[in-house]
Amino acid sequence: MTIALKEGYEPLTEATAVQLIKDLGYFDAHSSLRCKEIGDGNLNLVFHILDENDKGIIIKQALPYAKVVGESWPLTLHRATIEGNYLKNAIPLVQELVPQVHHTDEAKALTIMEDLSHLDIVRTGFISGKDYPILSRHIGEYLAKTLFFTSDFGGNQQVKKGLQQAFSNPELCKITEDLVFTDPFHVSETNDFEPELIATVETLWDDDSLKLEVAKLKYKFLTCGEALLHGDLHTGSIFANETTTKVIDPEFAFFGPVGFDIGQFFANLLFQAITRSDEKKDLILFHLHQVWDTFIQTFTELWQTASVEPFTKTEGYLEHVLEGFFHDSIGFAGCELIRRTIGLAHVADLDGIEDSSRRLACKEVAIKLGRELILQRSSISRTNEIVHLLENVKRGA
């Protein structure tokens, strides 16, 4: 299959990445540079370039297809522009929580940004047993500020309408629509799961009450442009250490329901809660509680001090809005748990478990917890209730 590319686009190699950096003058002309392609995703090339003093820089370039499939699954290169523009938009709001952007090139579909190699990928760190004590406070603040100031509550409504056009991202939204909301709940060639899970999966596929609720969530994703979302906020898209947090990879950014970003982060914490032993689980559950508490606190402060919507002064309106966000978050978290277990794109939290019986048991819990979160989302009002539901599912698994 031939993929039409913009003039000037060619996938970089380590050698051409170094030449690009030299041409742009990011290092001294006489610097000795070394480069390594470090991308492990399916959609992009990522180059880490260092000089002799270990001063570094990152080049991220979009590929015109998904590496996991090849050229039979073409992808728009415009997602690189979406990513660069999202980061530029986020920097004034959460400067310390996103990487600095040095340069973007729409034709070459690349972004040159701050080197974050001194930080851990949070998913990898969690799996190895590390903890990041202020991670969830940072992510709660990040979510509240990026979502509030791009919503009709915190931003000029007319400006927002223009931004919605700029961040129209139909191709990548289609991936989410299919892989998160549709395929895992039907027989589909994209689904991928162990044969031992077939009975549980078929029960899921035959559950019309569940499908009805997923249909409602998908419709909200399709039609509800509340704020500018990151669109793919999982623990593999966050770098951190004990004092620093940086959110990366917003190429799925678009205007959608606020609860989607929150729900994805919830779900990726829950994968760790499912797989950890009881004594190590409390650290993860702390993050579950703290991210929502911080979001509420920060969003409320912004609502009271920075709102442009007159109705935000109306008693009870804030509570109504936050309740809706939370219920949506629970439902979207449930969809994420299921799709990362039986859909096309899995998570190392589950797949990396070497003992097959334990791995299958954790996946059973993830599927069943996802179902209960979707079905019960409207009756859950606190993060403690998510924990109770997890424990009940574990006991019954």
Side-chain angles (χ1 to χ4, degrees):
M1 178 177 188
T2 302
I3 300 174
L5 301 175
K6 283 188 176 183
E7 184 178 351
Y9 178 85
E10 185 174 341
L12 293 172
T13 64
E14 291 180 357
T16 57
V18 168
Q19 188 60 52
L20 173 65
I21 286 296
K22 286 183 176 180
D23 292 344
L24 291 172
Y26 280 102
F27 293 94
D28 184 273
H30 303 293
S31 294
S32 175
L33 303 180
R34 57 193 191 276
C35 176
K36 184 177 181 181
E37 205 280 301
I38 59 172
D40 60 356
N42 289 317
L43 309 181
N44 307 286
L45 297 169
V46 182
F47 298 92
H48 185 206
I49 300 176
L50 293 165
D51 69 5
E52 60 270 24
N53 298 315
D54 288 336
K55 176 186 174 183
I57 204 164
I58 295 292
I59 303 177
K60 180 177 178 181
Q61 184 182 41
L63 285 169
Y65 54 84
K67 284 194 287 186
V68 69
V69 178
E71 294 193 11
S72 64
W73 188 347
L75 292 170
T76 175
L77 293 176
H78 181 63
R79 70 186 192 274
T81 300
I82 293 281
E83 175 167 4
N85 288 342
Y86 177 95
L87 291 172
K88 290 175 184 177
N89 189 77
I91 285 170
L93 306 177
V94 285
Q95 181 174 357
E96 299 302 317
L97 301 177
V98 292
Q100 180 182 355
V101 175
H102 299 300
H103 177 77
T104 60
D105 188 317
E106 185 169 2
K108 292 183 173 66
L110 60 82
T111 303
I112 300 175
M113 67 187 83
E114 176 185 0
D115 180 10
L116 302 178
S117 61
H118 61 291
L119 304 175
D120 303 328
I121 298 172
V122 169
R123 188 186 307 283
T124 304
F126 275 163
I127 291 171
S128 69
K130 288 186 179 181
D131 185 41
Y132 308 97
I134 58 175
L135 169 73
S136 49
R137 180 161 60 82
H138 280 165
I139 296 299
E141 178 185 345
Y142 166 87
L143 286 165
K145 290 181 176 179
T146 58
L147 296 171
F148 178 83
F149 283 113
T150 58
S151 74
D152 291 308
F153 304 122
N156 180 283
Q157 286 92 342
Q158 300 309 308
V159 172
K160 177 190 169 187
K161 289 175 174 61
L163 282 174
Q164 285 177 307
Q165 295 177 8
F167 282 96
S168 176
N169 200 357
E171 292 87 358
L172 269 69
C173 284
K174 174 64 173 169
I175 292 174
T176 304
E177 292 154 19
D178 290 345
L179 298 187
V180 177
F181 295 107
T182 305
D183 294 354
F185 301 94
H186 301 83
V187 178
S188 171
E189 292 181 355
T190 68
N191 290 330
D192 179 21
F193 54 89
E194 292 91 335
E196 293 88 343
L197 295 173
I198 187 63
T200 301
V201 173
E202 287 182 341
T203 299
L204 203 73
W205 290 342
D206 292 337
D207 190 337
D208 286 338
S209 61
L210 176 67
K211 286 185 175 182
L212 174 60
E213 297 309 314
V214 174
K216 294 176 185 177
L217 290 162
K218 180 181 178 181
Y219 185 72
K220 175 155 277 193
F221 181 86
L222 289 166
T223 62
C224 184
E226 290 176 328
L228 179 58
L229 308 186
H230 178 283
D232 196 26
L233 189 62
H234 54 75
T235 51
S237 294
I238 305 169
F239 278 82
N241 63 18
E242 290 188 351
T243 60
T244 302
T245 305
K246 298 281 186 177
V247 176
I248 64 166
D249 290 350
E251 59 196 331
F252 279 77
F254 79 111
F255 273 81
V258 164
F260 187 74
D261 271 1
I262 303 169
Q264 286 211 316
F265 189 70
F266 278 178
N268 282 267
L269 293 176
L270 288 170
F271 283 123
Q272 276 295 299
I274 288 167
T275 60
R276 289 189 175 199
S277 59
D278 287 341
E279 62 269 20
K280 295 181 179 180
K281 189 171 58 180
D282 287 345
L283 289 172
I284 287 296
L285 295 178
F286 165 81
H287 289 304
L288 181 69
H289 303 314
Q290 186 175 63
V291 69
W292 180 245
D293 290 344
T294 303
F295 175 83
I296 289 177
Q297 179 182 351
T298 308
F299 196 91
T300 298
E301 290 172 356
L302 295 172
W303 180 282
Q304 293 169 344
T305 61
S307 176
V308 299
E309 168 54 57
F311 278 106
T312 55
K313 307 299 182 185
T314 303
E315 185 176 351
Y317 190 25
L318 172 62
E319 291 74 17
H320 167 78
V321 168
L322 290 174
E323 180 181 60
F325 290 167
F326 188 68
H327 290 164
D328 289 347
S329 301
I330 300 302
F332 290 132
C335 293
E336 177 76 354
L337 286 170
I338 290 170
R339 77 97 170 192
R340 290 288 196 176
T341 306
I342 65 174
L344 178 67
H346 289 201
V347 288
D349 311 66
L350 297 180
D351 280 10
I353 300 173
E354 294 183 1
D355 181 84
S356 60
S357 60
R358 181 170 171 267
R359 183 175 64 252
L360 289 168
C362 288
K363 290 190 173 189
E364 291 272 4
V365 170
I367 296 168
K368 292 174 181 177
L369 177 60
R371 177 184 182 276
E372 293 306 314
L373 290 175
I374 293 167
L375 291 175
Q376 298 188 41
R377 68 187 186 281
S378 296
S379 62
I380 298 173
S381 59
R382 297 176 301 161
T383 52
N384 280 337
E385 295 171 38
I386 302 174
V387 178
H388 294 326
L389 195 58
L390 170 61
E391 297 306 320
N392 289 338
V393 169
K394 278 189 167 184
R395 282 193 292 268

